[in-house]
Amino acid sequence: MEQINPINKVTLKDKMKSYTRHPGSLILLLLVLIAAALTVVTLLFLVGYVLISGIPYLKPSLFALHYNSDNVSMLPAIINTVEMVVVSLLFSVPFGVGAAIYMIEYARKGNKFVEVVRLTAETLTGIPSIIYGLFGMLFFNIALHWRYSMLSGAATLAIMVLPTIMRTTEEALLCVPDSYREGSFGLGAGKLRTIFKIVLPAAIPGILSGIILSIGRIVGETAALIYTAGTVTGVAGLMDSGRTLAIHMYVLSNEGLHKNEANATAVVLLVIVLLINGVSSLIAKRFEAVKE
């Protein structure tokens, strides 16, 4: 079989000639490569440091169902973390996705209300988490009489991640071609049916990316939850005070009595975050494959 040589293939020699004629391009390429290398090295260093510092201290007693001062178990904190993620997403995902659908599919272009909502979401994104914690304590704990509870913490975190979910969903909906909508309308489908049967399935990978970012922030949050959910050990119900895995690690480190257990907790927290990101990425790829 005759081999076909590509006519537009750029060789290394051609690249060097191009960089010689345009030295600015070479400088930019070097800066990009250096930035990429520094990012990879920093990530590997952090992951390696956490694993080396924590893996030797992982032991079965850290996964006991009941916490005490001897075993310093992290299993109740893991269960509380899962509960916090689920409840927070139940609050934030419907509102975030619904707001994005309204702004893209229903609101008129140039709507002043939509501009105010977008400006508010961008402002909320830059507010420090401790401010959310103080607001949650004053509003949910005191004004609504929810006290220190998982529900107060979940409601506070839902407000924190709501702008992220809303903005990523909005961008995902904007990326769906208008031809999808026009084709659905041409076949006689209504507005609501077009959104739920055509537009949202095509935008699911982008929506999932926002949810992944939100889960990462919920799992790693400490400042807001200290003021709203508290630091009580043990498996907590919705109206009970409890600590998540990140708060558990913070408390152990702050006490100074269980540094090794805190390092082991950091390993588990890192593994959980990586697993969540990996599973979410697989789900997003599966949806993309089905869409294609």
Side-chain angles (χ1 to χ4, degrees), residues 13-244:
K13 185 177 180 180
D14 295 333
K15 290 182 180 180
M16 294 308 298
K17 288 182 179 179
S18 176
Y19 291 142
T20 303
R21 292 192 299 268
H22 305 284
S25 300
L26 178 60
I27 295 174
L28 182 61
L29 175 63
L30 293 176
L31 290 175
V32 171
L33 292 177
I34 292 172
L38 287 176
T39 302
V40 174
V41 170
T42 303
L43 176 63
L44 293 178
F45 173 77
L46 289 175
V47 173
Y49 177 80
V50 171
L51 295 179
I52 293 172
S53 302
I55 287 179
Y57 302 104
L58 286 172
K59 49 188 177 181
S61 61
L62 290 176
F63 300 94
L65 182 59
H66 300 287
Y67 173 96
N68 57 55
S69 57
D70 294 327
N71 59 28
V72 199
S73 174
M74 71 176 78
L75 184 59
I78 295 175
I79 297 174
N80 292 340
T81 301
V82 175
E83 179 183 351
M84 186 67 70
V85 169
V86 172
V87 178
S88 299
L89 293 181
L90 286 177
F91 283 148
S92 58
V93 171
F95 285 104
V97 174
I101 290 174
Y102 168 76
M103 290 190 293
I104 300 301
E105 303 296 334
Y106 287 98
R108 295 179 180 178
K109 292 184 179 180
N111 191 316
K112 296 296 183 182
F113 177 71
V114 172
E115 294 179 1
V116 171
V117 171
R118 286 173 178 162
L119 178 61
T120 304
E122 293 173 358
T123 304
L124 288 174
T125 305
I127 294 178
S129 59
I130 193 170
I131 303 299
Y132 284 103
L134 293 174
F135 167 78
M137 180 183 66
L138 293 174
F139 184 71
F140 298 116
N141 293 24
I142 298 176
L144 298 183
H145 304 288
W146 289 358
R147 306 184 308 277
Y148 284 100
S149 63
M150 299 292 287
L151 185 60
S152 296
T156 303
L157 292 182
I159 297 174
M160 288 180 59
V161 302
L162 181 61
T164 301
I165 295 176
M166 187 180 70
R167 293 295 289 165
T168 52
T169 302
E170 187 179 357
E171 294 298 326
L173 293 175
L174 286 173
C175 291
V176 177
D178 289 335
S179 59
Y180 286 23
R181 300 174 177 87
E182 294 167 359
S184 179
F185 294 147
L187 293 174
K191 184 78 171 180
L192 193 63
R193 187 178 183 85
T194 299
I195 291 173
F196 282 94
K197 294 293 185 180
I198 304 298
V199 178
L200 281 181
I204 278 181
I207 297 173
L208 283 177
S209 65
I211 296 176
I212 293 170
L213 293 174
S214 301
I215 292 175
R217 186 168 188 183
I218 293 170
V219 171
E221 185 55 49
T222 55
L225 293 179
I226 289 176
Y227 290 100
T228 54
T231 60
V232 175
T233 59
V235 179
L238 275 180
M239 299 307 298
D240 299 326
S241 176
R243 62 171 67 172
T244 60

Side-chain angles (χ1 to χ4, degrees), residues 209-291:
S209 65
I211 296 176
I212 293 170
L213 293 174
S214 301
I215 292 175
R217 186 168 188 183
I218 293 170
V219 171
E221 185 55 49
T222 55
L225 293 179
I226 289 176
Y227 290 100
T228 54
T231 60
V232 175
T233 59
V235 179
L238 275 180
M239 299 307 298
D240 299 326
S241 176
R243 62 171 67 172
T244 60
L245 198 58
I247 295 179
H248 179 74
M249 182 179 66
Y250 169 77
V251 172
L252 293 182
S253 301
N254 196 38
E255 290 175 349
L257 301 176
H258 304 284
K259 289 286 187 180
N260 296 334
E261 288 79 1
N263 292 332
T265 304
V267 173
V268 176
L269 184 61
L270 177 64
V271 171
I272 290 176
V273 172
L274 293 178
L275 284 176
I276 291 173
N277 290 339
V279 172
S280 303
S281 299
L282 288 177
I283 295 174
K285 290 180 180 178
R286 181 64 59 86
F287 276 107
E288 290 180 353
V290 171
K291 183 177 67 174

